[in-house]
Amino acid sequence: MEYTLGNYGHDANKGDRYKSFSPGTASSLVKHCKRLDTMNQWHLRQSYTGHTVQIPTSTFIERHATLPRLTDKESHELITSVTRRLWGKHLDDNGWRKTKIVDNKTEDAIFANLAPIADAIWMACCTWDKKKHKLGEATCRMECNPRQRTHSGVVGMAGAHFILTNSTTLEPRPPSHRTDIADKAGGGECKKDISERAQNENQLVGGVARILHNDPARRFVIAFTIEGVEMRFWYFSRSHIAVSEAFDYHTNPEDFIRFIIFMTFADVIDLGYDPTLIRIRDEDDKIQYVFNVGGKSYRTIRSLDDSSARDVVTRATRVWAARECDPITKQFLSEHEVALKDFWPYTGAQGEKAIQDEIYSALRVLDKKIQAGVPLEEIGLNIHPDDSMTIEEYAKPFFMEILADEVVHFTREGVVYDDSAPAPDPYDEEFSYAAFPKQASALQGTVPGTTRSRHVRGKTPPKDAVPDRIHAHQGRTHRRIVFKDCCMTLYDVANNCIVYTEAMLDLLEGLNCLRLAGFVHRDISPGNCLVLNTSGGIQVKISDLEYARRYDVDSSQLAPLTGTPGFMAVEYQKRRHRFLPDDNGPKTPPPQFQALSFRNLKARALPDTPLLPDELDTRAPKWFRFNFLHDVESVLWLYCWLLFNTIPKSIEGSVSTEDLNRLVDYKELLFRPSLVPTNERFSFVAQQAEYRTARGVLDPIYTQVPYGASLIKGLKVFEDLVGFYSTVEASEPIATTASFMWGRKEFLPDFYLQLQIRFMKVLQGLRASKEDMTTVTLQPPSGVKRPAEEPPAFVEGDCRSAKRPRTEASIKAKASRSKDPLACVKGRKPARQGKKKL
């Protein structure tokens, strides 16, 4: 029986970028190899700058490969004994006899002898251990099957593998010639010549990334590489990658022997497995998982999201739909589905439930002030949102209810340990991969304690330099959260423009509640805005509060950026306030709505409100503070994303290739996964000329449907936003301990109400139309080359940003600097529409 990735906790209906292929023709094999190489290069690029350190071999062994249950003296005795027993048959004065590089032997034939050597080391250890009784039973055994694939179709490391002796494979077992990916504890890549080091590193990083992605029970992976006679050890965790200095494993066989002994006899916890996760097979013959969170057991049903677990150094967020089950029988105890989230935040980061409790506590303080007779205007309200309940009760539906939030811990020999991925030593040397020039890293420096890099004066970075992102290493802690409700994301409802637009109302109201509590979210994106179907209609909830913090708490000007680049506020990306007052004085504030609340907004029909003057000042202050309007701008980018990422289904076949090309290219200019905004994105927020350009892209498509004008008119919210920015930034900032900030009273509740009015008018236009308002995801023409293998970058606390190869991106970058932002599509040959989604 052939198994799919769905057997490993993934949704088989969604497919996966690591799925197997059906070997039929030579061309299909070539395409698959090219696709695999592209993925390996992408993983290598993500692991390059600031994520990998190089340490001495002795330090690597001390940190990551200490011989189990042995003292230093016993370890020395064991290595000496094993070396003596291998001498003659396997070892001589020139090193390992069977792995010497010979021109007339292939790479596979030479390094296939590593397995017999590992077996000989194992037997020598057993002989030594007969009297000591220290090592115990072997945990792994090496196999060298470079052409073997796992039965899931996942291509991991293609050289040597350390296979668990006690298989975790569930019945029915895979074919005898296939190995379950969960049984591959580690491995390595081997090449005959040192000139192939770049390819070796490429394959190793890509293979480990696929193992970590497809096996949720993996905390870290230990591996090795050999190029010619040089050997290196590797450690891959969610916090960093460590590689040992290269050594000649022929002239220094002791370190090689020590590594083999560790991989053979180490405990599964030392090999990187999660002892708290249990694998079971469900009724549909798919692998599911059982977690224990908050004293209860939950059994997964299907995978909801695991996209961020594709990289090595990342939060590795995975979300499942799950139900409570019996801890013994694993049978379901409830029909109610919950959402279970498994991830690796930074060590010391506050838990989401703790942050949520602080928000509710701040709202309770407001309730007490209202009861004490404090005027509503002093606490940031024009009118009480609902007299029948407290502000805390009113705000709770806009956030996810958390049942449990805890750090993963396991017990070992009677001691309880928190599961974590420690940071490397701050003095460890940064490692440069062979695929990237050493000078690319040397041209960059790092401001201590920050994530912003600087270029050395007098030197110009090479054209193909890696992304400008050097990180301060931080440890990570393994956490799990259980949410009461299992919801859809905004991505899932993008095919219904009415539901999607209604979601904007709830999102703005939820952010208004955060404003009342004095918190900023800092990570508004479609994946963090969840839609729950209730008996009274849809309810949108704001999730992922890990990066939320109090607005009045000082933070470093160079603190790590958080959020998804395509939905970040432009000011936040630029790290400067761009709507400062000019010499003519402050701007006129927007009109006030003294008796309007969100609850009665839908029952009121209000006239258009006057817009503020579109006056900008390019002068940048010497400080920057993330504020409430930056969260609001993220919501507006969510709405903008709907228009540029979907098209009405009723006109799907009638949109011309030229119009579709323009929409695809302009969308990529606005939502490029980069921390540096394009000129189009920067101008879109404030300049009327750019707004007219956007209208020129959207009008040919949306004017074909009756409700299209209403959707496009919704982009007027950006003009309102400019007025809000100008009003706030015209006020006098308040000095704080380390910076400046604008007072919370400057952020009026009218800002949120005026935007809600805009969206209500869009909804009125949509509901007045009787046309089919279903949308479909934008499909680029098949003749247009797109970097489909590169997943969208998610920027978390470590400021990860993706840099595409210098192909399509380079052309568009040049076009963005030209007078015509769509110059990149001029002269393109007509191409027929494809069926592959962007």
Side-chain angles (χ1 to χ4, degrees):
M1 179 183 294
E2 197 71 10
Y3 294 82
T4 66
L5 283 177
N7 297 26
Y8 290 91
H10 298 256
D11 191 345
N13 297 325
K14 292 182 179 180
D16 194 276
R17 65 199 292 252
Y18 301 135
K19 64 184 179 182
S20 178
F21 72 102
S22 300
T25 62
S27 61
S28 65
L29 179 60
V30 170
K31 290 180 180 179
H32 178 79
C33 291
K34 289 183 178 179
R35 181 173 179 269
L36 186 62
D37 186 62
T38 301
M39 291 187 294
N40 289 343
Q41 291 178 10
W42 188 87
H43 286 299
L44 186 64
R45 185 175 294 275
Q46 291 301 302
S47 304
Y48 174 65
T49 307
H51 287 321
T52 309
V53 297
Q54 185 174 24
I55 55 180
T57 304
S58 58
T59 304
F60 184 97
I61 292 175
E62 180 182 353
R63 292 183 188 176
H64 309 298
T66 303
L67 294 180
R69 299 174 292 277
L70 297 181
T71 63
D72 293 341
K73 181 179 180 180
E74 291 172 335
S75 298
H76 179 72
E77 292 178 359
L78 175 61
I79 300 299
T80 303
S81 174
V82 171
T83 304
R84 188 183 305 114
R85 291 181 179 276
L86 295 178
W87 195 264
K89 184 176 180 180
H90 296 280
L91 265 176
D92 58 23
D93 292 333
N94 296 321
W96 300 100
R97 302 180 61 182
K98 296 183 179 180
T99 60
K100 290 183 172 61
I101 304 300
V102 182
D103 294 336
N104 60 356
K105 283 188 177 183
T106 64
E107 172 185 303
D108 295 346
I110 293 175
F111 294 107
N113 294 311
L114 288 175
I117 293 176
D119 288 342
I121 294 174
W122 166 64
M123 295 177 64
C125 290
C126 292
T127 302
W128 178 87
D129 198 46
K130 285 183 180 180
K131 297 181 180 179
K132 302 291 184 178
H133 302 289
K134 292 282 188 175
L135 295 176
E137 297 293 330
T139 308
C140 294
R141 197 172 177 184
M142 179 185 280
E143 293 182 3
C144 292
N145 299 309
R147 307 304 173 196
Q148 185 190 68
R149 298 171 62 84
T150 63
H151 79 272
S152 64
V154 178
V155 181
M157 290 165 285
H161 306 277
F162 290 97
I163 309 300
L164 293 179
T165 54
N166 295 324
S167 175
T168 61
T169 305
L170 303 176
E171 298 294 339
R173 299 181 66 82
S176 58
H177 66 282
R178 297 290 179 90
T179 303
D180 195 320
I181 191 175
D183 289 342
K184 291 190 175 183
E189 296 284 353
C190 306
K191 300 295 180 187
K192 289 179 61 176
D193 194 87
I194 194 172
S195 63
E196 299 178 284
R197 171 169 289 186
Q199 182 182 358
N200 224 21
E201 295 172 348
N202 190 14
Q203 292 176 347
L204 181 73
V205 174
V208 171
R210 288 187 284 278
I211 289 177
L212 289 171
H213 177 214
N214 289 278
D215 188 4
R218 209 64 67 94
R219 299 159 48 238
F220 59 84
V221 174
I222 297 177
F224 69 90
T225 54
I226 296 177
E227 298 94 15
V229 299
E230 292 190 354
M231 186 175 191
R232 293 175 295 170
F233 304 140
W234 295 76
Y235 168 82
F236 298 85
S237 74
R238 295 305 186 182
S239 64
H240 72 288
I241 300 174
V243 55
S244 70
E245 296 176 346
F247 67 95
D248 190 329
Y249 76 106
H250 286 283
T251 59
N252 182 14
E254 291 81 8
D255 287 339
F256 173 78
I257 293 173
R258 186 186 298 269
F259 181 80
I260 296 298
I261 295 176
F262 169 78
M263 296 298 297
T264 304
F265 292 97
D267 189 88
V268 291
I269 297 179
D270 293 327
L271 292 175
Y273 285 90
D274 184 353
T276 67
L277 187 146
I278 302 174
R279 304 168 74 221
I280 65 171
R281 193 176 295 279
D282 63 12
E283 296 78 8
D284 297 328
D285 202 29
K286 295 180 181 179
I287 298 296
Q288 302 293 350
Y289 305 95
V290 177
F291 298 88
N292 186 280
V293 187
K296 295 183 179 180
S297 296
Y298 296 92
R299 173 177 156 185
T300 62
I301 303 172
R302 62 186 179 278
S303 174
L304 299 178
D305 180 43
D306 63 356
S307 57
S308 79
R310 289 171 174 167
D311 305 333
V312 177
V313 181
T314 179
R315 298 169 77 242
T317 302
R318 306 175 192 265
V319 184
W320 288 273
R323 284 190 277 173
E324 186 179 353
C325 70
D326 185 273
I328 306 298
T329 64
K330 309 300 185 293
Q331 298 298 316
F332 290 122
L333 300 178
S334 171
E335 295 296 323
H336 178 72
E337 290 188 5
V338 300
L340 192 150
K341 178 179 176 181
D342 181 278
F343 64 114
W344 292 78
Y346 286 133
T347 300
Q350 196 173 11
E352 185 168 351
K353 191 173 190 309
I355 296 175
Q356 192 179 81
D357 291 341
E358 286 188 12
I359 294 173
Y360 293 155
S361 176
L363 294 178
R364 285 194 294 270
V365 173
L366 296 184
D367 288 323
K368 293 180 180 179
K369 290 183 178 180
I370 294 175
Q371 294 174 1
V374 177
L376 295 179
E377 292 77 8
E378 293 189 13
I379 63 175
L381 286 172
N382 288 335
I383 188 172
H384 197 289
D386 193 332
D387 294 330
S388 64
M389 61 180 68
T390 63
I391 297 180
E392 179 190 2
E393 295 171 340
Y394 176 78
K396 282 187 175 181
F398 298 102
F399 301 95
M400 296 290 289
E401 182 176 348
I402 300 175
L403 300 179
D405 180 3
E406 66 180 20
V407 175
V408 178
H409 55 270
F410 55 87
T411 304
R412 188 176 187 182
E413 297 179 354
V415 181
V416 179
Y417 297 90
D418 288 341
D419 192 6
S420 62
D425 191 285
Y427 295 101
D428 289 342
E429 179 184 356
E430 181 186 348
F431 175 75
S432 294
Y433 288 86
F436 300 100
K438 180 71 174 179
Q439 60 269 23
S441 175
L443 288 174
Q444 297 175 350
T446 307
V447 181
T450 73
T451 59
R452 298 188 65 181
S453 61
R454 54 177 172 82
H455 294 293
V456 179
R457 291 184 178 181
K459 295 185 179 181
T460 303
K463 293 182 179 180
D464 55 349
V466 295
D468 186 13
R469 51 177 186 84
I470 298 182
H471 305 262
H473 295 289
Q474 299 185 49
R476 293 182 183 270
T477 302
H478 197 183
R479 297 188 72 96
R480 290 180 182 138
I481 302 178
V482 178
F483 299 98
K484 180 181 179 181
D485 299 306
C486 189
C487 307
M488 300 180 293
T489 67
L490 280 186
Y491 289 120
D492 300 322
V493 299
N495 61 341
N496 189 321
C497 56
I498 290 184
V499 173
Y500 195 96
T501 306
E502 285 181 346
M504 303 298 107
L505 301 176
D506 281 355
L507 287 176
L508 289 170
E509 193 64 12
L511 291 180
N512 192 21
C513 294
L514 280 179
R515 178 189 65 87
L516 292 174
F519 279 77
V520 288
H521 188 277
R522 303 198 301 161
D523 188 15
I524 296 294
S525 67
N528 295 338
C529 302
L530 307 180
V531 181
L532 177 66
N533 284 320
T534 64
S535 57
I538 68 165
Q539 173 65 57
V540 179
K541 297 175 177 288
I542 299 175
S543 182
D544 286 357
L545 300 175
E546 291 97 344
Y547 300 130
R549 64 168 175 81
R550 292 186 180 274
Y551 168 64
D552 54 4
V553 173
D554 280 320
S555 62
S556 172
Q557 166 75 9
L558 303 178
L561 294 177
T562 59
T564 306
F567 305 98
M568 281 182 179
V570 174
E571 282 195 346
Y572 190 37
Q573 289 181 297
K574 286 286 190 178
R575 285 299 181 99
R576 68 180 181 90
H577 299 289
R578 52 188 295 228
F579 299 96
L580 297 176
D582 56 19
D583 297 334
N584 297 326
K587 306 293 185 297
T588 304
Q592 305 294 310
F593 301 96
Q594 297 295 337
L596 185 63
S597 68
F598 177 66
R599 283 295 176 89
N600 60 19
L601 173 63
K602 299 181 181 181
R604 297 283 298 272
L606 299 177
D608 285 332
T609 57
L611 297 177
L612 299 176
D614 186 16
E615 301 176 5
L616 302 176
D617 191 342
T618 58
R619 293 176 299 171
K622 297 180 181 180
W623 55 275
F624 176 82
R625 167 85 64 157
F626 190 100
N627 58 53
F628 306 105
L629 288 181
H630 295 141
D631 280 337
V632 172
E633 183 178 335
S634 295
V635 174
L636 306 192
W637 283 115
L638 295 181
Y639 179 78
C640 185
W641 177 87
L642 174 70
L643 296 183
F644 287 95
N645 193 69
T646 63
I647 59 175
K649 185 177 181 180
S650 59
I651 61 171
E652 180 181 8
S654 60
V655 179
S656 68
T657 301
E658 182 180 0
D659 292 338
L660 191 59
N661 281 339
R662 287 164 57 86
L663 188 62
V664 169
D665 286 306
Y666 198 77
K667 175 233 176 179
E668 291 189 358
L669 291 174
L670 290 182
F671 296 94
R672 180 175 298 172
S674 171
L675 292 178
V676 181
T678 61
N679 293 339
E680 290 73 24
R681 180 180 176 86
F682 185 78
S683 303
F684 190 89
V685 177
Q687 295 183 6
Q688 290 293 325
E690 193 62 40
Y691 175 73
R692 288 191 295 269
T693 302
R695 286 291 303 266
V697 175
L698 295 173
D699 283 347
I701 298 176
Y702 282 91
T703 52
Q704 299 183 38
V705 292
Y707 57 88
S710 298
L711 286 173
I712 295 178
K713 190 176 180 181
L715 293 178
K716 291 284 187 179
V717 292
F718 282 96
E719 295 182 1
D720 297 336
L721 181 67
V722 171
F724 304 155
Y725 274 129
S726 301
T727 300
V728 172
E729 296 181 15
S731 62
E732 189 70 22
I734 302 172
T736 62
T737 304
S739 180
F740 294 88
M741 60 179 286
W742 283 290
R744 287 172 54 182
K745 293 183 179 180
E746 304 297 335
F747 301 90
L748 306 175
D750 301 334
F751 296 168
Y752 300 84
L753 290 173
Q754 186 166 333
L755 296 176
Q756 288 169 336
I757 292 170
R758 287 285 191 189
F759 286 122
M760 276 302 304
K761 291 179 179 179
V762 175
L763 284 172
Q764 290 173 1
L766 295 177
R767 289 167 178 161
S769 175
K770 297 182 179 179
E771 297 288 331
D772 179 16
M773 282 173 282
T774 304
T775 60
V776 293
T777 304
L778 187 61
Q779 298 179 352
S782 58
V784 181
K785 186 177 180 181
R786 306 287 176 194
E789 297 299 343
E790 181 176 338
F794 178 85
V795 180
E796 48 172 338
D798 59 11
C799 290
R800 177 168 61 85
S801 64
K803 180 179 178 181
R804 299 177 178 176
R806 288 179 54 82
T807 54
E808 190 78 13
S810 301
I811 299 174
K812 291 175 184 174
K814 293 180 180 179
S816 65
R817 293 190 291 268
S818 66
K819 294 182 180 180
D820 182 5
L822 297 179
C824 55
V825 302
K826 290 185 176 181
R828 176 176 292 160
K829 295 181 180 180
R832 56 189 178 88
Q833 293 185 5
K835 294 184 178 181
K836 186 175 181 180
K837 293 184 178 181
L838 181 65

